[in-house]
Amino acid sequence: TGPDRKEVPLNRGTQAVVVGRGREAPGDGSSMGGRPSSPLDKQQQQHLRGQVDILMRNFLPCYRGQLAASILRQISRELGPQEPAGSQLLRSKKLPRVREHRGPLTQLRGHPPRWQPICVLRGDGRLEWFSHKEEYENGGHPLGSTALTGYTLLTSQREYLRLLDALCPDSLGDHTQEEPDSLLEVPVSFPLFLQHPFRQHLCFSAATREAQHAWRLALQGGIRLRGTVLQRSQAPAARAFLDAVRLYRQHQGHFGDDDVTLGSDAEVLTAVLMREQLPALRAQTLPGLRGSGRARAWAWTELLDAVHAAVLAGASAGLRAFQPEKDELLASLEKTIRPDVDHLLRQRARVAGRLRTDIRGPLESCLRREVDPQLPRVVQTLLRTVEASLQAVRTLLAQGMDRLSRRLRQSPSGTRLRREVYSFGEMPWDLALMQTCYREAEWSHGRLGQLAAPFGFLGMQSLVFGAQDLAQQLIADAVATFLQLADQCLTMALNCDQAAQRLERVRGRVLKKFESDSRLAQRRFIRGWGLCIFLPFVLSQLEPSCKKELPEFEGDVLAMGSQALTTEGIYEDVIRGCLLQRIDRELKKTLGANDVSCTLDGCLEVPWEQEGAAPTLNLVSSFLAGRQAFTGFLCLPEKSSANILAASPLSCSCFRSGFHRDSPVFLVQLAEGLAHPMETVSSHSVWSFQPTSRQ
């Protein structure tokens, strides 16, 4: 707990048997219609509000400082030398999303139990359930909903019950008082368990294995989309927020990355506070919960859900209150830093040089003793993780382009070709197709986790999500590039065979560009996650010896007169630079000097040399930025996925020129058909999409 934090015990006699927040639920939590609002009494709720206030008072100074540092970093990039090995592919303009998916599921545990609502996964990763299909289609309010941030999906009943037993180990095996019709006693054929460390669990069952598989893909896509909203953003405020969270936790004595930064800003701060409070909450409240065995564990999750909802509501309110100040601060920082940026960077370099000299001995000793022995294996495992995923992406991309050429040669029917082009444009968002690429990113989860755990790194889910987001973004860029180049090279004078030959040449160009961008992305991925694994550990090792040297530099830094530069920030940058040198050296050994020399230079930044840090791994230029990325919740456009598709370049540009009029198909008609993409469906039947009347 922080310096201002004090413990106020929650009622030891709390009986958490029903929890919910109704349809007017604050925050991003789940709402279960028709149930009591909370098991927390007024004293407990007041205590939690006080804890949130303390968190905001301690966190916001870190955030303000990192906002200034982020603006300085952005301006220095703009004015510095451009990357010699930049991206070759065009940037996709489509926003990340999941396809809306719906269907009946049996709710195994709830009020009432074992009923079959119509469940709907929205394009922004929110799961809703309705009592009847007609209520959903008529735009009615859902009976309940939950944002999928932070959930883990399990499809094994045995595995879920082991997890539930571990929540209350003192009462393990005591199931005598549990209700006889509980899901805990009845085998489930096709379960879908959504588990969260601080939220009530959601327990569903599908009717068939095929339906379970389709829901599994959809829910996993929603979980990843909700989790990586900040990591995908290129806004300076996003990077500043994530850096501020890390710095705040270091001040609390927590070194080492984990998955706490998954979610929106309010969700991240909620997870930070929940982790701080969880040990005391367990000690004070768990013994007083009524019930036994798994029923008691279930009651514990319901209590956590109520606490999480209260904290999330407070964090959301705190960030909304800070928003006007943040907007004003960002505008002011831009005006004050830009005219003075050269002077600030020179002063920073001077202080960094002195700091580097002072800490060189302890730093080099720590790196040789702790980092160097494990660095080769970590780099190789990171490389295998991302390399296998991107190779699967290349295969999928090549197959998609080949299908288009074959379709054009064999059966140039307007309807079929329209469907094929639409399916090709949808590949990045087709989870069934992308599943092979995503599985490749997961295979080294255990091995890499074992290598990184001694360094305090517990963020394997974030790392896997980062690799999967990278695969999705690269194939989205490649698809956009292919469609744009195809549109430029096809003319009215071409027949089908000539057009197919043109497309094959475009295929070759796109694959070359993809391979170039893949190499650059791999290096950035390895450098970024290498820093995430090693930097917090090295900082913790040097804390006792080197941090005491920093006060003597305070005078020089204060004399610069800018909140964008701090002694602690320059100190971390020096250590980061030394770590990057070692990671780059290992990359050259692993990949060969000729293969990396042209790309490593493109990864270096001036003056921080920290390109590839986790929040910007995905090379995305069109994701959420500014205010939208930092409301209390995940903010996606009001347009549905159908509207996004209809407004995409695919619908108005692809193959716009058309063929010669005596050709069997007019590609002008193709463009017109794509203006109504919902008339076609993916070739994968599990992803058939039918818009509701509201959409």
Side-chain angles (χ1 to χ4, degrees), residues 89-159:
L89 295 170
L90 301 174
R91 284 291 170 260
S92 172
K93 300 301 182 183
K94 288 187 178 181
L95 290 168
R97 68 188 188 283
V98 292
R99 288 183 173 181
E100 183 169 300
H101 190 76
R102 64 181 173 90
L105 289 175
T106 299
Q107 185 167 312
L108 301 176
R109 185 73 185 260
H111 300 270
R114 294 196 172 276
W115 66 298
Q116 287 192 336
I118 296 297
C119 294
V120 180
L121 177 66
R122 298 296 188 184
D124 64 350
R126 175 177 287 276
L127 183 66
E128 299 176 347
W129 47 97
F130 299 80
S131 57
H132 303 288
K133 178 181 178 181
E134 293 75 17
E135 185 177 358
Y136 156 70
E137 291 179 341
N138 294 331
H141 290 289
L143 291 177
S145 67
T146 187
L148 293 180
T149 309
Y151 276 97
T152 300
L153 177 64
L154 302 176
T155 56
S156 165
Q157 185 176 13
R158 179 179 300 178
E159 184 179 356

Side-chain angles (χ1 to χ4, degrees), residues 10 274 277-287 300 303-304 307:
L10 295 174
M274 291 294 294
Q277 294 292 300
L278 190 59
L281 189 62
R282 289 183 65 92
Q284 297 162 8
T285 308
L286 195 56
W300 168 244
L303 174 63
L304 284 178
V307 174

Side-chain angles (χ1 to χ4, degrees), residues 105 169 192 198 207 216-217 258 319 354 364 383 448 485 522 527 530 545 553 568 592 617 652:
L105 289 175
L192 295 160
F198 312 122
R216 180 177 64 83
L217 294 181
D258 52 27
L319 287 170
R354 291 175 52 202
E364 284 296 320
L383 177 61
L448 187 56
L485 293 178
Q522 286 177 26
R527 298 172 99 240
S545 59
F553 295 92
E568 185 175 20
L617 278 173
C652 61

